Every structure is written in structure tokens, then in C-alpha cells.
Amino acid sequence: KVQRVVTPWFKAAGDVVVDLRAVAFMDTFVLRALIELQRDADASDQWSLHLVPGANIQRLLDLAGGRDELRWIAPEQLAR
């Protein structure tokens, strides 16, 4: 599982931001993995997960209902 591989790295990093602006395609497998990682982060006090939205994946998020499951951050907030 993706979660078993990346969660230890994310815990070590603390605050994790996944930038999806350059993503041209995402399938439901990846969306499901991101949602599961988001749930893990929400349940943890060791790390957080936020995503920068990408224009090419908005339709998938809308069709699959995944938009509300994820924590979003605006690109302008990255420099802070």
C-alpha cells in the first residue's frame, strides 16, 4: 500500500504539501490513496497533509466526490 511506504516519511516531515498543479491525469486509485492519507493525517498529531489544487484533476474530484475529503491550500500560501 502507498500509505505504508509514504506515511513514515510524512511523519518525519511534519507538514506535507502535495502540489497537484502539474498533474495531467489522476485515476481513482490515486485519489483513494490521497483520501486515505488525508484521513491518516487528520487522525495524527505528528503530521498534516494539504494539497495544492490542479486544474486538470478538478473534474475527477467533482465526479468522485473527493474534493471535500481533502485539505486544500492555495498556491499563494506556499511561500509562507
Side-chain angles (χ1 to χ4, degrees), residues 23-68:
V23 174
F25 173 80
M26 180 187 297
D27 64 10
T28 55
F29 172 79
V30 175
L31 178 59
R32 185 175 343 122
L34 287 172
I35 290 171
E36 289 179 21
L37 286 168
Q38 185 69 67
R39 290 178 182 159
D40 290 348
D42 290 349
S44 174
D45 61 353
Q46 297 178 338
W47 65 288
S48 67
L49 176 65
H50 290 84
L51 294 97
V52 178
N56 295 324
I57 61 163
Q58 297 308 309
R59 182 161 168 76
L60 170 66
L61 293 170
D62 291 336
L63 290 173
R67 185 184 305 273
D68 293 337

Side-chain angles (χ1 to χ4, degrees), residues 17 21 50-53 71-80:
V17 176
R21 290 179 288 182
H50 290 84
L51 294 97
V52 178
R71 308 290 168 259
W72 299 99
I73 187 170
E76 299 79 25
Q77 294 175 288
L78 293 176
R80 295 182 188 174

